[in-house]
């Protein structure tokens, strides 16, 4: 009977170990899959780092171009303001000139020439 008990225990242990072996085998597959995923992620991160490092100089150049364009825009804005001021002055001068022309156009002088004996003051 002791032998039967030992054989029974062995059978139970074998069945339990068999289930554990299946679980361990499944875990090995999962770990292997995770390793592949991590390797793929490392490759992706490496590629991203390379792409970002290549984009940094272009981004800096673009930023400098935008700054220069903004400075030029401000300068042109100031020049436009000066031009508007000059045009306003010219318009004012033109208006005054038009008023003077109208005044002179309608302005008349009468010149009287008298003839006769000269009068001398004594």
């Amino acid at each position: 009977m002791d032998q039967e008990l030992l054989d029974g225990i062995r059978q139970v242990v074998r069945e339990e170990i068999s289930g554990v072996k299946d679980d361990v085998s499944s875990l090995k597959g999962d770990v292997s899959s995770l390793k592949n995923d991590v390797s793929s992620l490392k490759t992706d991160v490496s590629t991203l780092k390379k792409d970002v490092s290549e984009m940094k100089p272009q981004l800096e150049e673009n930023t400098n171009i935008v700054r220069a364009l903004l400075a030029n825009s401000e300068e042109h804005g100031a020049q436009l303001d000066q031009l508007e001021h000059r045009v306003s002055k010219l318009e004012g001068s033109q208006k005054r000139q038009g008023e003077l022309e109208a005044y002179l156009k309608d302005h008349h002088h009468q010149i009287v020439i008298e003839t006769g004996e000269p009068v001398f003051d004594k």
Side-chain angles (χ1 to χ4, degrees), residues 3-100:
Q3 187 61 35
E4 286 179 15
L5 181 61
L6 284 175
D7 288 341
I9 292 174
R10 282 186 188 132
Q11 184 63 30
V12 169
V13 169
R14 281 187 190 129
E15 289 172 3
E16 290 297 318
I17 288 176
S18 175
V20 170
K21 283 181 181 180
D22 290 342
D23 289 346
V24 168
S25 178
S26 175
L27 282 174
K28 282 183 180 179
D30 291 346
V31 168
S32 177
S33 176
L34 284 173
K35 283 182 180 180
N36 289 336
D37 290 348
V38 168
S39 176
S40 176
L41 284 173
K42 283 182 179 180
T43 303
D44 291 348
V45 167
S46 175
T47 302
L48 283 173
K49 282 182 179 180
K50 181 180 176 239
D51 290 348
V52 167
S53 70
E54 290 173 356
M55 289 188 319
K56 279 184 180 180
Q58 185 64 49
L59 179 62
E60 186 174 335
E61 181 182 348
N62 290 350
T63 301
N64 290 336
I65 289 170
V66 168
R67 286 183 180 141
L69 289 172
L70 286 173
N72 286 343
S73 175
E74 289 174 4
E75 181 182 340
H76 288 142
Q79 290 174 346
L80 282 174
D81 288 345
Q82 289 176 355
L83 186 59
E84 286 177 6
H85 177 70
R86 289 177 180 170
V87 167
S88 294
K89 283 178 70 175
L90 285 174
E91 287 174 344
S93 295
Q94 186 179 17
K95 181 180 176 186
R96 282 192 307 268
Q97 182 181 355
E99 289 170 355
L100 282 174

